[in-house]
Amino acid sequence: MVGEDTALALKKLESALTKNAHVRTQILTLLMSHPDGLTFKEIKETLKKSDESINQALQALILLGYVEKLGKQYKLKPGVRDGIFRVLWAASDELIMEMRRKGL
């Protein structure tokens, strides 16, 4: 996410949040509040999801470059937290501008 233009970052974020969006979003949110990372077991116990659901979501987030596995810990990659906020901020600015153009 770091160093990407907004359009590409938005596309990657959208991809990360579409299939099994709720599980991926929950994992991202959980890892944002645990900067030192969590084990698979801790994530599973917190979210109360199946092994398969957690594993699929983590693998997708790793492939997308949001999460890394260091030893047994899963954590957000450096810069991802700030990148997510930048992407959301840019998207909200675009939404506000579009709403103003439409007179909403």
Side-chain angles (χ1 to χ4, degrees), residues 28-76:
L28 286 173
T29 302
L30 186 61
L31 293 177
M32 286 180 77
S33 63
H34 291 85
D36 293 331
L38 294 168
T39 65
F40 185 92
K41 182 179 178 183
E42 291 168 328
I43 294 168
K44 181 183 175 197
E45 288 174 355
T46 301
L47 300 182
K48 299 184 185 342
K49 303 288 183 189
S50 70
D51 284 3
E52 181 180 1
S53 177
I54 297 295
N55 188 51
Q56 287 176 352
L58 282 169
Q59 293 311 309
L61 291 169
I62 289 169
L63 286 173
L64 289 163
Y66 293 114
V67 172
E68 62 186 351
K69 184 177 181 189
L70 301 172
K72 293 185 177 189
Q73 299 288 112
Y74 291 91
K75 60 192 304 185
L76 292 180

Side-chain angles (χ1 to χ4, degrees), residues 6 11 17 19 23 46 55 60 71 76 84 97:
T6 301
K11 188 171 186 145
L17 300 177
K19 187 178 178 187
V23 179
T46 301
N55 188 51
L76 292 180
I84 289 172
M97 289 172 57

